[in-house]
Amino acid sequence: MIYEKFQFAVFSQRGRSKSHNEDALLLDGQVYQGSVREQGVVDAAQACYFAIADGVAIGTRPRIASRCLLEILHKHLAVSTATESLSPLLQRVQQDYGALSGNPRFYGMAATLVGVRLLENAVTVFNVGDSRAYLLVDGQAQLLSRDHTLLNDLIDDGEMVAGQAADSASIVHGLTCQFIADPECDDFRVNIATHQLQSGERILLCSDGLNEALDDTRIAALFTDDSEPELVNAWKAARRAGGSDDFSVIILKGRD
């Protein structure tokens, strides 16, 4: 089955005690920020893009950081081809983002990114930082992205095993890569994952306001019909579990 369209559902809300939502969303060519509730359908016969950027709180101006990142990303995607390699494109995005540091007000601001390119059944996921992409299938949430954290770096180097994560100090969950307005940034990495979407499968993009509060099993159980009440319930579940960060989710599924 080749999908002719993709249906999307979106929810974004500022975190507890925050004055502004520091997440920003790219929905098929348009950038959104604030309290976002959107649903729609896009043509799958041409490449379309969805993404979430999360302003890093320890950087400067996190609200502006996320929005600027998606505006630069959109500028590059608008002149790209449907099959262009996304890793070098995102390297160019980082170059432009780093150049923002020419304005002292923006120096040091940073953001994470997760996104997806959809073209018929072909799904290309890209991420920098710890915003995530999941494949929702058969009642499970399978991680497609990979967090750029010290924990994963230690696992890659054989200094820690995944089972130790729950008992590890919070410092190992810190970011080791993000988009940053610093021209001297010399450690920039992009994760790319591809998947051929099958019947019954959906893609979930989220900022860490979801997965820091809820584990993957709970996430899978919460997302079943992609209705707005369901997205609101997921946000409430994250709040009840102690989540206080900005919360953003995008659900995508194919339609024939």
Side-chain angles (χ1 to χ4, degrees), residues 8-222:
F8 65 88
V10 179
F11 181 94
S12 183
Q13 184 67 39
R14 65 180 173 85
R16 184 181 287 122
S17 77
K18 286 193 174 184
S19 58
H20 301 288
N21 190 347
E22 294 166 359
D23 291 351
L25 301 93
L26 176 67
L27 308 180
D28 192 32
Q30 187 169 348
V31 177
Y32 293 78
Q33 193 167 41
S35 180
V36 183
R37 315 285 190 276
E38 293 288 334
Q39 294 188 1
V41 177
V42 295
D43 186 359
Q46 55 187 6
C48 53
Y49 298 85
F50 292 82
I52 297 173
D54 181 357
V56 176
I58 61 172
T60 58
R61 302 179 181 270
R63 184 186 182 198
I64 296 173
S66 58
R67 187 175 187 93
C68 283
L69 174 56
L70 292 188
E71 289 172 346
I72 294 171
L73 174 65
H74 173 57
K75 180 186 72 172
H76 283 268
L77 292 176
V79 296
S80 68
T81 66
T83 57
E84 183 170 345
S85 176
L86 290 174
S87 185
L89 183 147
L90 292 169
Q91 294 281 348
R92 296 193 296 273
V93 170
Q94 167 55 27
Q95 290 173 2
D96 286 357
Y97 197 75
L100 294 175
S101 62
N103 183 330
R105 295 188 306 139
F106 298 149
Y107 179 81
M109 71 178 186
T112 67
L113 175 72
V114 65
V116 63
R117 176 171 66 195
L118 306 171
L119 181 60
E120 295 181 337
N121 291 55
V123 172
T124 305
V125 169
F126 50 92
N127 84 283
V128 176
D130 60 357
S131 294
R132 289 186 172 185
Y134 289 93
L135 179 69
L136 301 177
V137 57
D138 297 331
Q140 296 183 324
Q142 301 175 8
L143 192 59
L144 294 175
S145 56
R146 181 168 174 80
D147 295 349
H148 286 118
T149 60
L150 179 57
L151 173 64
N152 277 344
D153 289 352
L154 291 171
I155 291 172
D156 290 344
D157 293 340
E159 298 180 31
M160 185 176 286
V161 297
Q164 295 175 286
D167 299 323
S168 58
S170 60
I171 191 173
V172 304
H173 297 278
L175 292 172
T176 56
C177 185
Q178 62 258 296
F179 288 89
I180 185 167
D182 181 350
E184 296 183 4
C185 172
D186 59 1
D187 183 14
F188 182 77
R189 291 162 284 149
V190 178
N191 288 325
I192 303 288
T194 59
H195 180 74
Q196 288 293 318
L197 203 64
Q198 305 299 315
S199 178
E201 296 180 340
R202 294 168 296 148
I203 299 295
L204 165 64
L205 306 180
C206 66
S207 61
D208 60 2
L210 174 68
N211 59 271
E212 283 194 350
L214 304 171
D215 63 24
D216 294 356
T217 300
R218 183 70 173 132
I219 289 172
L222 283 167

Side-chain angles (χ1 to χ4, degrees), residues 225-253:
D225 64 13
D226 310 334
S227 64
E228 182 172 334
E230 180 180 83
L231 303 189
V232 173
N233 286 338
W235 168 65
K236 290 180 177 178
R239 283 288 186 97
R240 289 193 297 269
S244 60
D245 203 355
D246 301 324
F247 179 100
S248 298
V249 295
I250 301 173
I251 302 280
L252 300 145
K253 65 180 179 181

